[in-house]
Amino acid sequence: MSYTLDEIIRIPGMLENLKNVKFNFLKDTNYLFVGCGSSYNLGFITKTLLNLNGYKADVVTSGHVMLFNKVQKSDIAILITRTGETTETVKAAQIIKNAGIKTIGITCTKNSTISKICDDSIILDFAEEKSVVMTGSFVLILAMFVNGIKYHDFSEESQKVLDLSDKIINTINLGKYEHFVFLGYDENLGVSKEGALKLQEMALQYVEYHEPLEYRHGPISRLTEKTLVVINSKDTAEEKKLIKDIKKLGATTLEISFEGDISVPNLNGFEVPLRLIPIQYLGYKKAIQMGYNPDTPKNLSKSVKLE
Ligand code: F1P
């Protein structure tokens, strides 16, 4: 079995462990999320959910902070890095600290550079991963952030979503598709961004992500019968209409929603960690179908280290 598959399958068990991790967001605090790649996407999704629920939060790439040596005003910066060693994030942490902003590092690696620099750290070492691409660790960190707004035990539901993803995705003839489009609003736009990254990293596919109704405004011109459109919808009538239109044009859709092909519970956006499971599994399955090793994707390393 590949490490990636193992790291996806162990998600329900890891979520069970999250009960022992204490983390809370405060309404009067201004948060800034900082990260690269999937870790940036974690910040992007969480910032959106926080804003929708009346909290103050923003997100920036570590590379931007490092390159321009400046950072927007905030009370607490949350630096996310699974490995704790990504150059841009480590350098951004130091710049932010020097600007007098409190820093919290979120990592899955013990004794890493990020925890040495940050004022505080949360080390989720039980979610440390062997494979290059973030899967289970992403769901775990996201669930921790969601629980920081409103507590929810995702362990049982995640097993159901995992089983359903396995059942549904195994019925799709993945060899037919060479173009993957991910659609979603608000926090689901972040899910879509991460979905696109998974299919790109693991399976080297041509990918896109958009807000659903934006798809008709240009990107739809590239749609063919070899396109699989994954829509993380909120079951709105307009999203349903779009699905019909996409099908009429000959492409295939996979809807992840409360009543979709793969169903997730409606928790007013807080179900977002569950929405990641099908897309990670899809990335893994497409990589296998292409004959690639999902654990060690082309040109990538577990953490990017700049000279
Ligand atoms: C960030 C990251 C990964 C990506 C790739 C390169 O790593 O961008 O998200 O999959 O392998 O590194 P980290 O800072 O979270 O360790």
Side-chain angles (χ1 to χ4, degrees):
M1 186 154 82
S2 81
Y3 290 129
T4 304
L5 182 58
D6 185 46
E7 287 155 3
I8 295 173
I9 284 176
R10 68 180 185 159
I11 289 172
M14 284 200 303
L15 288 170
E16 184 86 37
N17 272 338
L18 209 51
K19 282 182 188 139
N20 308 317
V21 180
K22 300 273 166 276
F23 182 83
N24 275 310
F25 289 109
L26 303 171
K27 280 228 162 125
D28 58 358
T29 302
N30 220 319
Y31 296 95
L32 178 66
F33 292 90
V34 189
C36 293
S38 291
S39 290
Y40 170 81
N41 291 345
L42 272 166
F44 184 97
I45 296 171
T46 310
K47 166 237 174 310
T48 308
L49 264 184
L50 282 168
N51 292 162
L52 287 170
N53 287 281
Y55 293 77
K56 288 171 274 182
D58 209 342
V59 63
V60 66
T61 58
S62 313
H64 192 282
V65 176
M66 181 187 89
L67 205 57
F68 301 106
N69 203 351
K70 63 173 188 200
V71 61
Q72 56 259 59
K73 270 201 173 160
S74 37
D75 303 309
I76 297 182
I78 299 182
L79 292 113
I80 310 163
T81 167
R82 175 184 58 161
T83 57
E85 302 296 342
T86 297
T87 303
E88 294 103 306
T89 309
V90 164
K91 292 212 165 154
Q94 195 60 63
I95 291 168
I96 293 169
K97 214 178 149 182
N98 293 348
I101 297 168
K102 184 181 170 171
T103 48
I104 303 180
I106 311 285
T107 184
C108 299
T109 314
K110 270 187 188 160
N111 304 318
S112 64
T113 309
I114 201 72
S115 5
K116 286 176 194 141
I117 296 175
C118 288
D119 300 311
D120 285 332
S121 288
I122 298 179
I123 305 169
L124 302 160
D125 54 331
F126 59 94
E128 196 172 1
E129 290 174 328
K130 287 201 171 70
S131 51
V132 165
V133 173
M134 274 177 98
T135 54
S137 62
F138 190 105
V139 176
L140 190 88
I141 296 171
L142 187 56
M144 182 189 81
F145 286 148
V146 167
N147 285 346
I149 310 174
K150 192 178 177 194
Y151 184 78
H152 187 83
D153 183 353
F154 290 103
S155 44
E156 252 178 56
E157 286 156 346
S158 65
Q159 187 60 58
K160 278 189 200 151
V161 176
L162 197 53
D163 292 343
L164 198 56
S165 304
D166 183 51
K167 192 172 144 206
I168 302 293
I169 293 169
N170 279 321
T171 65
I172 302 174
N173 174 15
L174 287 179
K176 185 178 161 193
Y177 305 104
E178 54 183 39
H179 175 210
F180 291 78
V181 178
F182 292 86
L183 305 176
Y185 277 110
D186 297 324
E187 69 282 359
N188 293 328
L189 181 62
V191 172
S192 301
K193 188 172 184 312
E194 177 63 8
L197 188 64
K198 290 304 93 165
L199 267 291
Q200 189 175 56
E201 284 183 317
M202 279 196 257
L204 310 184
Q205 294 300 295
Y206 171 59
V207 296
E208 299 176 58
Y209 68 93
H210 308 280
E211 283 191 354
L213 295 195
E214 280 297 291
Y215 190 55
R216 287 196 186 93
H217 297 270
I220 202 164
S221 55
R222 279 290 283 114
L223 183 143
T224 71
E225 72 286 352
K226 291 179 180 168
T227 305
L228 180 65
V229 180
V230 180
I231 173 159
N232 264 280
S233 87
K234 299 195 182 195
D235 284 334
T236 65
E238 283 299 337
E239 285 170 312
K240 301 276 175 210
K241 257 201 248 166
L242 178 66
I243 290 173
K244 265 194 193 159
D245 288 354
I246 290 170
K247 283 180 175 165
K248 242 189 247 162
L249 291 170
T252 304
T253 59
L254 176 66
E255 190 188 15
I256 304 167
S257 72
F258 320 127
E259 297 157 12
D261 305 308
I262 296 179
S263 62
V264 290
N266 183 352
L267 304 174
N268 292 319
F270 294 123
E271 74 281 356
V272 75
L274 300 171
R275 289 181 181 267
L276 266 308
I277 296 171
I279 58 175
Q280 292 177 349
Y281 191 65
L282 179 66
Y284 162 77
K285 292 295 281 190
K286 182 64 187 169
I288 297 294
Q289 179 271 312
M290 296 290 292
Y292 303 146
N293 180 354
D295 299 342
T296 52
K298 201 176 147 207
N299 301 343
L300 293 180
S301 54
K302 208 171 160 192
S303 70
V304 174
K305 291 197 184 148
L306 305 179
E307 296 292 311

